[in-house]
Amino acid sequence: MATTTEPTVLRGGEWLLQRADPDTVFTPERLTDEHRLIGQTAQEFVEQEVLPKLDRLEEKDWALARDLVKRGGDLGLLGVDVPEAYGGVGMDKVSSLVVSEKLARSASFGATFGAHANLTIVPLVLFGSEAQKRKYLPTLLTGEIIGAYALSESGSGSDALGARTKATRQADGSFVLNGEKMWITNGGFADLFVIFAKVDGEHFTAFLVERAFGVKSGKEEHKMGLHGSSTTALILQDVKVPAENVLGEVGKGHKVAFNVLNFARFKLGAMCGGGAAGAIGESARYAAARRQFGQPIASFGAIKHKLGEMVVRTYGIESLLYRTAGLVDARIEATPHAPTDGSAALAAFEEYNVEASIAKVAGSEALNFVLDENIQIHGGNGFVRDYPAERHFRDARVNRIFEGTNEINRLLIPGMLIRRALKGDLPLIPAAKALQDELLGPPSLPSTTDEGVLADERRACDAFKKTALMVFGLAMQAYGQKLTDEQEVLMHLADIAIDVYSAESAILRAQAAAGRRAPRAALHADAARVFVNDAALRIEATARQALAAMVEGDTLRTTLAALRRLLKVTPTNTIAARRRLADEAVSRGGYPFA
Ligand SMILES: Cc1cc2nc3c(=O)[nH]c(=O)nc-3n(C[C@H](O)[C@H](O)[C@H](O)COP(=O)(O)OP(=O)(O)OC[C@H]3O[C@@H](n4cnc5c(N)ncnc54)[C@H](O)[C@@H]3O)c2cc1C
């Protein structure tokens, strides 16, 4: 299927060094009819068929979970990322994003669906042999068999390559697996597992393992949330796996694991964005209906502040998600490949792995914020089970833990950017040097070429990028190879990078809305303005802490003076802007940009 994204393709991480044109950035407002149709299908499925049965899922009715996956198969939702030649619907990544957002209305079923579609079907499509695809994809796509992905073990979660599960090679070429996997989504009822084990205790490898080969499930975990999804250990005792069930190559399991995670992290971010937008609707409707002191609580400034901020953070994450999906699609489209060849998608997700980690971290944290405020707006009703707010809150907490914890993803963000810089793929080092010269020279006049909507914010975002470069450059200078040991500095760098990408994505989307004279263009501008205003405060605080750890005395004073010069961002009236956004959410009874 053709995508509508523009051909200008920034490479991964390049947004840190250069500006993008609003016309080249994909936004939710540019969805095609085809995107909207698959979104509507997913939404109706969840609203009409999943949500009414949530209690049964939470009572662990796995026959129902299987039926619902099957129903997702009937509707084509399982095959969005699968080429038509293999029975899928072969849509673009914007479509995957839209489907993930809609599935977020039921986080438990979203986890079941994700483990099946994103963590089993996708690795099979990307790494499977022709024979493996022909054998397993047809029944996975109809939902007749259910998939699961088993990487983690009790002793190796973040340190996935430290797995102890062993695959012993047999004389006939087959393998015998022994070990135990932990916290496996769909573990209680899946039929086919992507299992990672070390061949002869050394070569990390992915295998396609049928339950019938001898996989046993442990008991269901008692979890804080996601009660409607199955999470169990897997016990592998002398499980014989034929040679042809190696997924990818022996010793190349890390390629399968990490590439799949790039894609899955992005989709998790999408689910978080969708969840946040849905919760804003719940809050807005409750705030309009609930009366205290003789008036709806929605009329109180404190509640407007909450609603407005929920909208702003959701706008930020949504903007970066759509921008990233557009980049991935454009990249895939610009790479000549046969429709059945997954290597273009693989390369595209590798290219945008920094952006995928940003989507995961920013999405899960924005969602946590929104769901916490959703409870607060519901007061006592937020704390009891009569309303969905408490369930959402419990369900969402794990998003910061799985698909790589947010700490691991935060380490990856600057780590991957620096690796690219050192390989010469991203001119971060010369840019940091040029900035150093600029900052040591006489103060330059502010750029006067910017005019029109959000011109100040655009300039502020340029300053954010310079701040990022300044901190990256000094960190590389101060620590050299040892920077990997300085996790606190890396976390600060990640936070600055996340704010740069989110803020710029929000500005570009709002500018595109203004350019089209979209009906809610002024509200788009409000959301972007508030985001940028607060990002400036966060970035300054973060940069100061990082700089003070790296330099001292006169050098620190000079550096802080340069930072102040850079980040001279005039505050905007965020109270008025948040009120407008909150009022719109209340009058629409939902997220204003849906
Ligand atoms: C509901 C649920 C479903 C899951 N589903 C699946 C599934 O389907 N398949 C699967 O394979 N796994 C699954 N997992 C496992 C999940 O991926 C892991 O829990 C996760 O990767 C974290 O690993 P861990 O729990 O061992 O934590 P640890 O790795 O022990 O981490 C503990 C803390 O230490 C931090 N930390 C660890 N290493 C570092 C480091 N180098 N530097 C700084 N901080 C560090 C972490 O960020 C975290 O805060 C699931 C987990 C849950 C809870």
Side-chain angles (χ1 to χ4, degrees):
M1 188 189 88
T3 150
T4 54
T5 45
E6 298 287 331
T8 316
V9 193
L10 278 190
R11 294 200 58 188
E14 267 184 351
W15 43 267
L16 199 55
L17 305 178
Q18 49 176 289
R19 278 185 169 195
D21 184 332
D23 292 339
T24 66
V25 171
F26 199 81
T27 68
E29 291 69 38
R30 299 180 70 195
L31 288 175
T32 62
D33 289 346
E34 211 167 8
H35 294 138
R36 290 182 199 282
L37 193 62
I38 188 86
Q40 194 186 340
T41 304
Q43 183 166 342
E44 286 172 5
F45 166 57
V46 172
E47 282 176 1
Q48 293 165 18
E49 304 189 47
V50 181
L51 290 180
K53 295 173 190 152
L54 217 47
D55 287 345
R56 280 174 60 198
L57 284 179
E58 296 220 333
E59 284 156 16
K60 321 247 178 274
D61 182 345
W62 300 146
L64 170 64
R66 295 186 75 103
D67 281 348
L68 289 173
V69 174
K70 229 187 243 174
R71 184 72 187 122
D74 294 343
L75 296 169
L77 300 175
L78 301 178
V80 171
D81 296 300
V82 182
E84 287 175 23
Y86 296 119
V89 277
M91 300 180 85
D92 58 11
K93 301 307 165 204
V94 170
S95 305
S96 307
L97 159 59
V98 171
V99 169
S100 298
E101 278 182 335
K102 303 295 181 192
L103 284 168
R105 293 291 306 284
S106 164
S108 279
F109 183 71
T112 303
F113 182 96
H116 178 79
N118 305 336
L119 296 177
T120 310
I121 291 178
V122 167
L124 185 52
V125 169
L126 296 181
F127 293 95
S129 67
E130 195 59 26
Q132 288 169 343
K133 289 181 195 165
R134 298 277 169 212
K135 180 166 180 189
Y136 293 116
L137 276 178
T139 44
L140 281 169
L141 284 171
T142 54
E144 280 164 80
I145 65 166
I146 304 290
Y149 180 85
L151 179 62
S152 305
E153 299 183 6
S154 61
S156 57
S158 301
D159 180 19
L161 299 184
R164 299 178 65 152
T165 298
K166 263 193 190 161
T168 310
R169 209 190 291 260
Q170 307 297 294
D172 64 356
S174 66
F175 298 86
V176 170
L177 268 55
N178 278 290
E180 193 168 318
K181 293 289 170 179
M182 188 79 180
W183 305 298
I184 305 309
T185 304
N186 295 349
F189 61 91
D191 311 286
L192 180 71
F193 302 87
V194 175
I195 294 183
F196 293 83
K198 283 189 175 158
V199 171
D200 302 327
E202 241 179 273
H203 309 289
F204 193 70
T205 305
F207 294 89
L208 290 165
V209 184
E210 298 178 21
R211 182 179 286 276
F213 295 168
V215 178
K216 300 272 183 302
S217 305
K219 61 174 181 43
E220 284 294 337
E221 298 291 349
H222 295 289
K223 295 173 294 190
M224 174 194 281
L226 295 186
H227 293 163
S229 80
S230 166
T231 310
T232 72
L234 297 180
I235 296 112
L236 308 163
Q237 233 170 21
D238 293 331
V239 174
K240 190 161 179 187
V241 181
E244 64 268 23
N245 277 37
V246 169
L247 181 63
E249 291 173 48
V250 171
K252 299 277 170 68
H254 60 286
K255 287 206 158 192
V256 179
F258 297 147
N259 279 296
V260 165
L261 282 178
N262 285 339
F263 190 19
R265 279 172 188 154
F266 176 72
K267 288 205 180 181
L268 184 66
M271 285 207 187
C272 292
I280 289 169
E282 285 172 13
S283 279
R285 292 189 292 275
Y286 188 85
R290 174 75 176 169
R291 296 178 75 85
Q292 289 292 283
F293 303 96
Q295 43 186 315
I297 61 168
S299 66
F300 300 130
I303 299 294
K304 286 182 199 277
H305 176 90
K306 289 184 191 306
L307 281 170
E309 185 58 15
M310 289 157 82
V311 171
V312 168
R313 297 208 191 184
T314 304
Y315 188 82
I317 177 69
E318 204 182 52
S319 304
L320 80 84
L321 282 164
Y322 277 80
R323 181 182 185 188
T324 306
L327 286 168
V328 172
D329 278 333
R331 181 97 191 163
I332 294 174
E333 207 168 63
T335 312
H337 65 284
T340 51
D341 177 8
S343 62
L346 207 58
F349 271 104
E350 211 167 348
E351 181 69 37
Y352 299 105
N353 52 15
V354 171
E355 290 76 5
S357 284
I358 290 179
K360 195 272 175 182
V361 174
S364 58
E365 293 180 6
L367 179 63
N368 250 94
F369 172 84
V370 165
L371 295 180
D372 186 56
E373 292 291 46
N374 190 30
I375 290 189
Q376 198 65 16
I377 289 172
H378 281 74
N381 280 328
F383 200 68
V384 296
R385 296 211 166 174
D386 305 356
Y387 286 80
E390 67 86 31
R391 188 181 54 230
H392 293 324
F393 184 72
R394 286 184 292 101
D395 284 350
R397 184 60 183 84
V398 74
N399 292 323
R400 285 161 54 197
I401 297 170
F402 58 21
E403 314 281 7
T405 65
N406 282 15
E407 292 73 34
I408 294 294
N409 275 288
R410 275 198 165 84
L411 294 174
L412 286 172
I413 292 164
M416 294 184 294
L417 287 168
I418 291 170
R419 200 167 320 136
R420 268 166 209 222
L422 294 175
K423 269 173 64 188
D425 288 345
L426 184 70
L428 199 144
I429 297 167
K433 285 207 175 105
L435 176 69
Q436 224 169 26
D437 294 344
E438 181 190 323
L439 293 175
L440 289 174
S444 55
L445 291 172
S447 146
T448 50
T449 51
D450 273 319
E451 279 175 16
V453 181
L454 297 168
D456 287 344
E457 283 67 23
R458 195 96 199 223
R459 273 190 290 274
C461 195
D462 290 344
F464 297 170
K465 293 183 188 192
K466 287 186 175 177
T467 306
L469 269 184
M470 177 175 163
V471 185
F472 264 96
L474 276 174
M476 287 164 82
Q477 239 171 36
Y479 303 113
Q481 302 280 348
K482 294 227 157 70
L483 180 52
T484 47
D485 298 336
E486 301 297 328
Q487 290 200 343
E488 297 92 327
V489 171
L490 291 170
M491 299 275 151
H492 286 319
L493 283 170
D495 285 342
I496 296 173
I498 290 169
D499 258 328
V500 170
Y501 192 53
S502 310
E504 189 183 52
S505 303
I507 295 169
L508 290 166
R509 178 178 176 192
Q511 286 186 321
R516 281 194 324 275
R517 298 180 201 285
R520 278 189 293 277
L523 287 167
H524 279 269
D526 277 337
R529 232 171 242 133
V530 177
F531 197 101
V532 171
N533 185 82
D534 289 12
L537 303 173
R538 287 191 294 267
I539 289 174
E540 184 170 6
T542 308
R544 285 170 69 91
Q545 294 197 56
L547 294 173
M550 297 189 287
V551 286
E552 50 189 14
D554 280 349
T555 318
L556 177 59
R557 273 187 287 279
T558 322
T559 314
L560 290 178
L563 179 70
R564 271 194 301 276
R565 231 165 54 209
L566 269 181
L567 279 178
K568 233 189 239 159
V569 177
T570 313
T572 57
N573 184 350
T574 53
I575 293 179
R578 280 200 191 87
R579 282 186 177 190
R580 287 190 288 272
L581 292 165
D583 289 347
E584 180 70 10
V586 170
S587 75
R588 284 168 64 96
Y591 176 59
F593 305 106

